[in-house]
Amino acid sequence: MKKEKRYFGRLLMILALIFFYLPIVFMMVISFNSSKSLTSFTGFSLKWYQAMLKNHSMMESLYVTILVAILATIISTVIGTMTAIGLSQSTKRVRRYVSVVNDFPLMNPDIVTAIGLMLLFITLNITKGFGTLLLAHIAFCIPYVILSVLPRVRALDPNLADAAMDLGATPFRAILQVIVPEIMPGIVSGSLIAFTMSIDDFIISYFVTGGGVKNLSIMVYTMSKRVNPSVNAISTVFVVLITIILILVNVVPAIRAKHVKETTELKQAKKWPIFVIAGLVIAIIIGSLAGLKSNSTAKFGGQTLHIYMPSEYIDEDMVAEFEDTTGAKVIMDNFDSNEQMYIKVANGEKYDLLIPSDYMIQRLIGENMLQKLDQKALKKTFNAINPLILHQSYDKDNAYSIPYFWGSVGIVYDKRKVTVDELDREGFAIFKDTKFKGQVYVYDSERDSFMMALKSLGYSMNTTSEAELEKAYDWWVDVMKTMNTEIVTDEIIDNMAQARKALGLVYSGDAASILSTNKNMGFYMPKEGTNIWTDAMVIPKNASNVPLATKKVATANSEYVGYTSPVKSVEDQLAKTTFKGNAAYTPRLGYAKDEVFGYNDKSRKIIADLWSRVKVAASNA
């Protein structure tokens, strides 16, 4: 019976280890994948590691992550240790009060702590950046250090410090040479927890940083919004670094203990905690990463271009080339939605260049948040742009905006499961065809989802009629009840590239990437019309570096992202080369039933509420 229990326990342990470590192993294997797929291994390649090393933002995020973790660990360990020692000499009431205060951030959800710190920095008018990120990490690491050190302090003989001072030691020397060595295991434990918490944190970091300062967790989050296998490469590198540190922490002490009596040098080494050695190794890594930064004495040397744009919207090679040729530093912040971007800009955060969508540009213009462009200086740029995407309703004279990318919303379909005749006959209503039940992806975008419902019903996607919006809501509820539809975000790109379902609503640029990966996939724009969108470059009123903001390169960027370039010559070139035969790269223009989104605050709120109810219906279906 005991043997059976032993085997059962071992089996559970093995299964637990597989559960914890198999995803990490899978990630490391996929990091060597030759294709963009995040799930299917197609061949061995180091291309994503090369892309990672070229990516200035990614390497800088690794640098920031390690630097903040080390500084936060050292500072929080010192403060936490001194606090724990001080508490041991305090009254019972003080100890109880401080313990309650210390437990508060440990029990609070991270999001509450994050918002609290963000509001504190805003109230004190502290510019968010590296300093606020470090302060926040120190603040949430200190309680963990106190929690680790305090039990060791309590276990000490209370007369130990007094005995040391009776023998002539100063209070500081008594703490340093008598108390600290006795509680060293607790200090080491607390510092390792602090280091781990700092490395791991995302939510608090996301809310308290700014000025383009990102740690690795923020970088990975923004990269994972679109298919970018470099995220696996940087994660693998980080896993390897942590593994090396853990080996040092666990193996070196054992080797040292074995040989400590053999030489005087090793006896001296006993005085140094092993985490100091690990810290030195990390410091060397930081120095190496810092050495990757280049200094230029070019025309714009020492200046900074601060861009706020959607994630994965620019080729990192372009950024590196821009920095090398101009001498300027590019700081890129990424937003998940136009609404998130609006909140930051409306609250006065400074950027030199924004890349919002059409309807949001209309709102920014209406609220007087943008500068007018120098039309004479940009005459050649405007002459090169496809005239069919200029002078749109959101900025009729292009007084404030220059198109950056454009595209449409359409249906990606598996040619082996769906025919063009079916798409011609049903249009967006094919998402209600029970033949494809359980075979449908819908992108989690309230605007575009209601666009397809409204178009399918024969209405304008810019309708302000509440009755028509209610009918679109009923259309979606019917879909959710009958189709077993899966609502997703950017994972649709990889999923449709792997042909996991028959149909998916996607943006044309994402469709171009899907079609490039899988030749069995097609792209269709319904005859009842769809959304033709434009993301454009605009300069906010409080921009501080307008000359740099007006510089623009188009070719490499369009090829990298997959969205259609506004420059006609670039679009034609890529349509004949990189995206030859790819219907999604060159969506139709000039079709009477296609529309551009306009901004209407009332209908936006109604659609947001209705879409949230649709998702509730989906979860209950």
Side-chain angles (χ1 to χ4, degrees):
M1 190 68 179
K2 288 184 179 180
K3 284 187 176 180
E4 289 181 0
K5 287 184 177 180
R6 191 179 300 126
Y7 289 138
F8 181 70
R10 289 176 180 175
L11 178 61
L12 284 179
M13 179 64 71
I14 292 170
L15 291 175
L17 290 174
I18 291 174
F19 178 78
F20 285 122
Y21 290 104
L22 186 59
I24 297 175
V25 173
F26 180 77
M27 174 200 71
M28 296 176 75
V29 171
I30 288 294
S31 71
F32 297 100
N33 197 5
S34 59
S35 73
K36 268 193 170 186
S37 175
L38 299 178
T39 57
S40 178
F41 192 83
T42 58
F44 181 86
S45 174
L46 293 173
K47 63 190 291 186
W48 305 118
Y49 286 88
Q50 295 171 348
M52 175 196 73
L53 293 172
K54 289 180 180 179
N55 191 321
H56 288 199
S57 297
M58 196 180 299
M59 298 310 295
E60 188 165 327
S61 72
L62 182 60
Y63 169 81
V64 168
T65 300
I66 297 175
L67 183 59
V68 167
I70 290 177
L71 292 176
T73 298
I74 294 172
I75 297 171
S76 63
T77 299
V78 172
I79 295 174
T81 300
M82 298 306 294
T83 302
I85 294 173
L87 285 175
S88 67
Q89 303 297 317
S90 302
T91 63
K92 188 175 181 179
R93 180 177 293 181
V94 171
R95 287 200 300 269
R96 184 181 301 167
Y97 174 76
V98 174
S99 295
V100 170
V101 172
N102 187 67
D103 291 343
F104 218 73
L106 298 176
M107 299 170 65
N108 259 344
D110 281 354
I111 187 68
V112 175
T113 304
I115 292 174
L117 288 168
M118 179 187 70
L119 292 175
L120 175 65
F121 295 139
I122 291 174
T123 303
L124 297 178
N125 199 27
I126 299 175
T127 303
K128 289 191 289 183
F130 183 85
T132 55
L133 181 64
L134 178 60
L135 287 172
H137 278 236
I138 292 170
F140 72 71
C141 284
I142 288 174
Y144 292 97
V145 176
I146 294 175
L147 202 63
S148 297
V149 176
L150 199 54
R152 304 291 301 192
V153 175
R154 287 173 178 168
L156 289 177
D157 186 334
N159 299 313
L160 197 60
D162 291 336
M165 287 187 286
D166 287 343
L167 293 171
T170 62
F172 180 75
R173 190 174 180 183
I175 291 173
L176 195 63
Q177 295 188 344
V178 178
I179 303 297
V180 169
E182 291 295 322
I183 63 174
M184 185 56 70
I187 296 174
V188 173
S189 176
S191 64
L192 290 176
I193 293 173
F195 183 79
T196 302
M197 294 301 297
S198 178
I199 289 287
D200 181 63
D201 178 72
F202 163 70
I203 294 177
I204 295 175
S205 301
Y206 189 76
F207 279 87
V208 301
T209 191
V213 178
K214 307 172 193 172
N215 61 9
L216 193 61
S217 59
I218 297 175
M219 174 60 68
V220 169
Y221 173 76
T222 57
M223 289 175 65
S224 64
K225 298 299 286 181
R226 285 177 54 84
V227 179
N228 190 329
S230 294
V231 70
N232 292 324
I234 189 71
S235 300
T236 299
V237 169
F238 204 72
V239 168
V240 171
L241 290 177
I242 296 299
T243 302
I244 292 172
I245 294 170
L246 290 175
I247 290 173
L248 287 171
V249 169
N250 290 281
V251 175
V252 173
I255 297 174
R256 185 183 58 188
K258 183 177 179 181
H259 300 285
V260 72
K261 295 181 181 180
E262 296 181 4
T263 62
T264 305
E265 290 78 10
L266 286 176
K267 287 181 181 178
Q268 294 296 324
K270 191 174 181 181
K271 296 180 180 178
W272 294 90
I274 190 59
F275 66 81
V276 174
I277 300 175
L280 291 173
V281 173
I282 299 173
I284 293 171
I285 294 169
I286 288 177
S288 301
L289 292 172
L292 293 174
K293 297 182 178 181
S294 61
N295 295 316
S296 175
T297 56
K299 179 180 179 181
F300 294 98
Q303 297 186 32
T304 300
L305 178 66
H306 199 169
I307 305 175
Y308 199 28
M309 65 192 304
S311 60
E312 296 301 297
Y313 235 39
I314 192 167
D315 187 350
E316 282 297 331
D317 288 343
M318 283 180 56
V319 176
E321 183 180 345
F322 181 88
E323 289 180 330
D324 291 340
T325 55
T326 63
K329 177 178 175 58
V330 177
I331 295 177
M332 287 190 295
D333 280 341
N334 302 121
F335 55 81
D336 300 329
S337 66
N338 283 279
E339 286 67 29
Q340 181 191 29
M341 179 275 304
Y342 172 81
I343 290 172
K344 284 201 171 186
V345 174
N347 282 316
E349 292 209 23
K350 290 188 176 182
Y351 300 99
D352 298 309
L353 190 66
L354 306 174
I355 305 182
S357 299
D358 35 39
Y359 75 99
M360 186 54 67
I361 295 173
Q362 180 181 343
R363 181 179 188 179
L364 294 172
I365 293 172
E367 296 181 14
N368 196 29
M369 293 187 186
L370 301 180
Q371 294 187 29
K372 283 193 173 184
L373 303 175
D374 186 343
Q375 299 288 332
K376 292 182 179 179
L378 295 168
K379 185 176 180 180
K380 289 184 178 179
T381 302
F382 278 114
N383 288 340
I385 291 175
N386 188 335
L388 292 178
I389 60 171
L390 292 173
H391 311 298
Q392 298 292 338
S393 56
Y394 63 90
D395 184 13
K396 289 185 178 180
D397 298 322
N398 284 104
Y400 297 90
S401 63
I402 304 175
Y404 184 75
F405 284 137
W406 71 276
S408 67
V409 177
I411 302 171
V412 164
Y413 64 98
D414 189 335
K415 298 175 183 177
R416 298 164 297 183
K417 300 177 182 177
V418 186
T419 66
V420 175
D421 288 341
E422 289 174 314
L423 290 163
D424 283 339
R425 184 172 63 253
E426 300 184 67
F428 282 126
I430 199 169
F431 283 80
K432 301 178 71 175
D433 190 336
T434 54
K435 174 184 175 181
F436 303 107
K437 182 176 181 179
Q439 287 291 310
V440 172
Y441 283 126
V442 171
Y443 198 87
D444 190 5
S445 165
E446 58 199 39
R447 290 185 306 111
D448 293 307
S449 296
F450 265 73
M451 175 276 296
M452 64 185 289
L454 289 165
K455 284 294 186 182
S456 180
L457 293 167
Y459 304 135
S460 167
M461 68 184 197
N462 286 312
T463 182
T464 57
S465 167
E466 292 187 32
E468 292 179 356
L469 292 175
E470 283 290 340
K471 288 181 181 179
Y473 166 73
D474 293 337
W475 189 93
W476 268 115
V477 170
D478 185 43
V479 170
M480 295 306 169
K481 287 181 177 179
T482 60
M483 292 297 293
N484 192 23
T485 299
E486 188 172 348
I487 300 175
V488 294
T489 53
D490 285 319
E491 63 267 28
I492 192 175
I493 304 170
D494 195 50
N495 289 344
M496 288 304 295
Q498 301 302 316
R500 293 202 172 97
K501 292 190 186 294
L503 296 163
L505 181 74
V506 297
Y507 299 111
S508 57
D510 297 337
S513 176
I514 294 168
L515 269 61
S516 297
T517 304
N518 190 336
K519 301 302 180 184
N520 292 316
M521 308 306 289
F523 181 70
Y524 181 82
M525 295 176 66
K527 292 181 179 179
E528 59 261 45
T530 187
N531 170 26
I532 300 297
W533 56 266
T534 305
D535 287 351
M537 297 178 289
V538 297
I539 300 175
K541 271 285 176 71
N542 60 359
S544 57
N545 206 332
V546 177
L548 268 175
T550 56
K551 286 187 169 288
K552 177 179 177 287
V553 182
T555 308
N557 216 40
S558 184
E559 186 172 6
Y560 169 76
V561 178
Y563 288 118
T564 311
S565 171
V567 179
K568 184 60 177 172
S569 60
V570 174
E571 177 189 340
D572 293 342
Q573 174 194 340
L574 294 179
K576 294 175 183 177
T577 54
T578 305
F579 297 102
K580 185 177 182 179
N582 192 321
Y585 183 72
T586 52
R588 70 189 178 203
L589 278 173
Y591 187 66
K593 294 184 179 181
D594 290 338
E595 295 182 78
V596 175
F597 270 117
Y599 179 76
N600 183 286
D601 191 56
K602 181 181 177 181
S603 59
R604 178 190 65 83
K605 291 177 180 177
I606 294 172
I607 290 173
D609 176 62
L610 293 176
W611 182 241
S612 64
R613 288 162 56 188
V614 168
K615 291 197 285 186
V616 171
S619 63
N620 295 331

